[in-house]
């Protein structure tokens, strides 16, 4: 009898990558592979890379070196966004056996059947314009929360972003298939689904990117609301121009869609937003926040913001700071701009010195801390529902309120993976 082969994964980057790794792992397990931890010895190692992370190349090299030290005979496969963007660079890393681009990622099982340890790495990749089709994915870490990918790729051309080059045009799953996945997840005891995509609000473009289903994100959430067994949904991140009044009002009415939005702003200066090629101005953003807070005063709003984009002057940064300060938002995710090959932003001058980028990052992180404190203080005394995770750490368990406040309390088995009424202290 043939020996059972084992596989271990390592994921870099975003929730989408985590959900895809999870699906790749289930695919290979179904093909007969035994799943191992990355720290263990395995016959095959798969690294799912990210293009947003700084030093993707360095991280990848380090991971491959670690594998070579502990298991020099094992096969090493690199996939994900960075593998699509820089296949040759990755193939040149000593010890890499196979590089899989965006189109080939989900064919990993077939590739592994033919792969043997050799001298140089094989590359299986195509131009990103030719990538089509949609592979649905979801992660199941514990049963409490799962990330369900419903959309992939992006048709926007933001000046700082490489994601469209790494993931291709905007494509989505069909509503029917998403509902089927949600039912499967409900059947396996999952309580909360986080809807995930690259440009989630653009949901509705077919697997070839051009064809429109008679479907939209608004329709998707209305149908998901009816799936039995799922207690909660969250919308992972949605562009402000695509977050319509209809969607906001539906979330306000729904018992299952949580009062929580994550809306990228990127800059509070209209001039910088224009250079970034974003599809809105700050006035639209402020209006969306107002609509949300009018219908759901308790709603959590998270904001992505980039500091140090080329041409961002002290005046622009102050505009951003004051704009964020004035908005009724709950927390920020602050990113420091860093140069990426083949992006439009490289043509914009002047470049912001690195130390200034870091200072600005610090100032906004400080603002985020204050916003979160204030938001939590506003909720004091309110009773909110907390979904506790089935995980003990130093005798404690953790969970989130519907409006995304993190709660920590001594572990109680009967609360694990359950929704519990909780008064905010
Ligand atoms: S919307 Fe802009 S930032 Fe977001 S993935 Fe698309 S191009 Fe990148």
């Amino acid at each position: 009898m043939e020996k059972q082969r084992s596989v271990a994964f390592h994921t870099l980057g975003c929730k989408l990558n985590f959900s895809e790794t999870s699906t790749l792992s289930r695919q290979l397990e179904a093909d007969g592979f035994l799943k191992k931890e990355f720290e263990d010895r395995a016959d095959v190692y798969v690294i799912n890379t990210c293009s947003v992370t700084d030093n993707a190349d360095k991280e990848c090299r380090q991971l491959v070196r670690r594998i070579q030290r502990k298991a020099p005979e094992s096969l090493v496969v690199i996939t994900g966004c960075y593998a699509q963007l820089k296949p040759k660079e990755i193939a040149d890393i000593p010890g890499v056996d196979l590089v899989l681009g965006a189109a080939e990622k989900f064919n990993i099982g077939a590739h592994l059947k033919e792969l043997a340890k050799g001298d140089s790495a094989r590359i299986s990749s195509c131009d990103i314009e030719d990538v089509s089709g949609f592979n649905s994915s979801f992660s199941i870490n514990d049963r409490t929360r799962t990330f369900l990918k419903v959309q992939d790729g992006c048709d926007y051309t933001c000046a700082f972003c490489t994601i469209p080059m790494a993931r291709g045009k905007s494509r989505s799953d069909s509503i029917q298939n998403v509902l089927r996945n949600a039912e499967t997840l409900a059947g396996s005891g999952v309580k909360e689904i986080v809807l995930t995509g690259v440009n989630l609000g653009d949901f509705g473009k077919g697997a070839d990117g051009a064809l429109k289903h008679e479907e939209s994100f608004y329709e998707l959430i209305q149908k998901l609301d009816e799936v039995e067994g799922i207690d909660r949904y969250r919308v992972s991140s949605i562009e402000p121009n695509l977050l319509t009044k209809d969607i906001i009002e539906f979330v306000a009415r729904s018992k299952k869609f949580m009062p929580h939005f994550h809306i990228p702003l990127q800059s509070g200066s209209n001039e910088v937003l224009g250079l970034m090629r974003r599809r809105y101005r700050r006035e639209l953003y402020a209006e969306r926040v107002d609509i949300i807070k009018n219908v759901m005063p308790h709603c959590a709003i998270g904001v992505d913001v980039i500091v140090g984009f080329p041409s961002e002057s002290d005046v622009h940064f102050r505009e951003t700071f004051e704009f964020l300060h004035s908005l009724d938002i709950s927390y920020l995710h602050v990113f420091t701009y860093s140069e990426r090959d083949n992006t439009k932003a490289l043509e914009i001058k002047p470049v912001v010195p690195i130390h200034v980028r870091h200072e600005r990052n610090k100032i906004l992180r400080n603002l985020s801390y204050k916003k979160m404190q204030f938001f939590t203080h506003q909720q004091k005394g309110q009773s909110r529902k907390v979904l506790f995770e089935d995980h003990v750490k130093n005798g404690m368990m953790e969970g989130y309120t519907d409006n995304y406040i993190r709660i920590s309390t001594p572990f109680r088995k009967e609360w694990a993976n359950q929704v519990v009424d909780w008064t905010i202290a």
Side-chain angles (χ1 to χ4, degrees), residues 267-281:
S267 172
S269 149
N270 279 343
E271 213 178 315
V272 177
L273 285 176
L275 287 169
M276 285 177 163
R277 306 169 133 209
R278 300 289 290 165
R279 299 203 179 186
Y280 53 87
R281 295 295 173 261

Side-chain angles (χ1 to χ4, degrees), residues 2-109:
E2 220 179 287
K3 177 183 164 269
Q4 186 182 25
R5 292 211 287 170
S6 56
V7 60
F9 291 85
H10 190 91
T11 309
L12 303 167
C14 63
K15 302 290 184 291
L16 211 61
N17 265 14
F18 278 92
S19 74
E20 289 183 345
T21 301
S22 206
T23 296
L24 292 177
S25 160
R26 285 192 301 276
Q27 269 186 14
L28 291 186
E29 281 175 83
D31 282 355
F33 277 84
L34 178 70
K35 193 182 163 203
K36 292 269 190 86
E37 293 302 318
F38 197 74
E39 306 314 319
D40 299 338
R41 269 186 87 93
D43 298 312
V44 180
Y45 290 88
V46 181
I47 304 174
N48 195 0
T49 61
C50 168
S51 64
V52 178
T53 332
D54 270 326
N55 305 324
D57 175 56
K58 211 168 117 203
E59 262 182 285
C60 216
R61 273 172 205 278
Q62 278 169 353
L63 287 165
V64 175
R65 224 174 292 137
R66 255 167 65 192
I67 296 168
Q68 283 205 300
R69 271 200 301 268
K70 74 179 157 204
E73 294 311 313
S74 302
L75 292 169
V76 177
V77 182
I78 315 284
T79 187
C81 292
Y82 197 64
Q84 176 67 38
L85 288 178
K86 301 274 172 86
K88 290 196 185 67
E89 271 182 28
I90 291 193
D92 285 343
I93 300 176
V96 171
D97 298 290
L98 175 65
V99 182
L100 287 181
E104 286 304 313
K105 185 165 38 185
F106 290 92
N107 289 333
I108 187 167

Side-chain angles (χ1 to χ4, degrees), residues 145-390:
R145 183 181 311 114
T146 183
F147 294 89
L148 174 60
K149 174 181 135 190
V150 300
Q151 187 274 340
D152 199 351
C154 183
D155 293 339
Y156 287 15
T157 53
C158 299
F160 51 81
C161 186
T162 53
I163 293 175
M165 293 175 246
R167 286 192 167 267
K169 53 193 169 244
S170 178
R171 288 108 62 206
S172 2
D173 210 346
S174 66
I175 290 186
Q176 205 187 20
N177 212 25
V178 177
L179 292 177
R180 228 184 344 251
N181 282 333
E183 281 157 11
T184 306
L185 290 166
S188 64
V190 165
K191 291 284 194 303
E192 180 174 307
I193 291 180
V194 184
L195 298 178
T196 311
V198 170
N199 189 344
L200 198 53
D202 199 35
F203 179 91
K205 288 184 179 157
D208 61 357
L211 197 104
K212 271 259 179 201
H213 298 300
E214 291 298 297
E215 299 183 345
S216 67
F217 188 68
Y218 180 48
E219 275 163 67
L220 172 71
I221 58 176
Q222 291 176 86
K223 299 245 168 73
L224 278 171
D225 206 49
E226 288 161 20
V227 174
E228 301 251 339
I230 299 294
D231 289 346
R232 296 175 155 204
Y233 293 100
R234 285 183 203 276
V235 177
S236 67
S237 173
I238 184 162
E239 291 289 301
N241 47 309
L242 298 174
L243 178 58
T244 60
K245 202 164 175 235
D246 282 345
I247 296 174
I248 297 169
E249 288 173 347
F250 178 77
V251 168
R253 284 196 304 278
S254 163
K255 292 251 175 321
K256 294 188 175 179
F257 275 84
M258 296 294 100
H260 173 206
F261 287 108
H262 194 95
I263 321 167
L265 169 68
Q266 312 305 19
S267 172
S269 149
N270 279 343
E271 213 178 315
V272 177
L273 285 176
L275 287 169
M276 285 177 163
R277 306 169 133 209
R278 300 289 290 165
R279 299 203 179 186
Y280 53 87
R281 295 295 173 261
R282 57 189 246 154
E283 291 73 20
L284 178 135
Y285 195 97
E287 182 211 311
R288 297 298 198 258
V289 172
D290 278 351
I291 299 174
I292 295 169
K293 287 302 210 177
N294 263 329
V295 289
M296 288 174 278
H298 55 286
C299 188
I301 302 178
V303 182
D304 286 340
V305 56
I306 297 173
V307 290
F309 185 78
S311 85
E312 185 191 59
S313 63
D314 285 344
V315 176
H316 293 134
F317 178 67
R318 178 142 290 280
E319 261 187 275
T320 298
F321 180 88
E322 279 163 10
F323 184 62
L324 288 166
H325 192 265
S326 72
L327 288 176
D328 194 358
I329 52 171
S330 324
Y331 62 93
L332 308 173
H333 280 177
V334 187
F335 299 89
T336 301
Y337 170 78
S338 67
E339 284 73 8
R340 291 281 179 270
D341 288 353
N342 302 318
T343 53
K344 283 274 166 210
L346 295 180
E347 295 162 19
I348 304 171
K349 300 283 175 302
V351 164
V352 179
I354 302 282
H355 73 277
V356 176
R357 300 184 204 181
H358 289 145
E359 274 161 31
R360 291 178 184 170
N361 182 306
K362 208 165 144 198
I363 293 169
L364 289 193
R365 270 190 293 136
N366 202 10
L367 178 64
S368 175
Y369 177 73
K370 289 190 176 139
K371 287 274 180 195
M372 194 63 206
Q373 267 192 328
F374 183 68
F375 178 67
T376 311
H377 180 75
Q378 279 180 323
Q379 314 299 313
K380 216 171 159 180
Q382 280 196 29
S383 175
R384 310 244 50 113
K385 294 200 181 300
V386 177
L387 173 59
F388 280 106
E389 291 156 15
D390 190 0

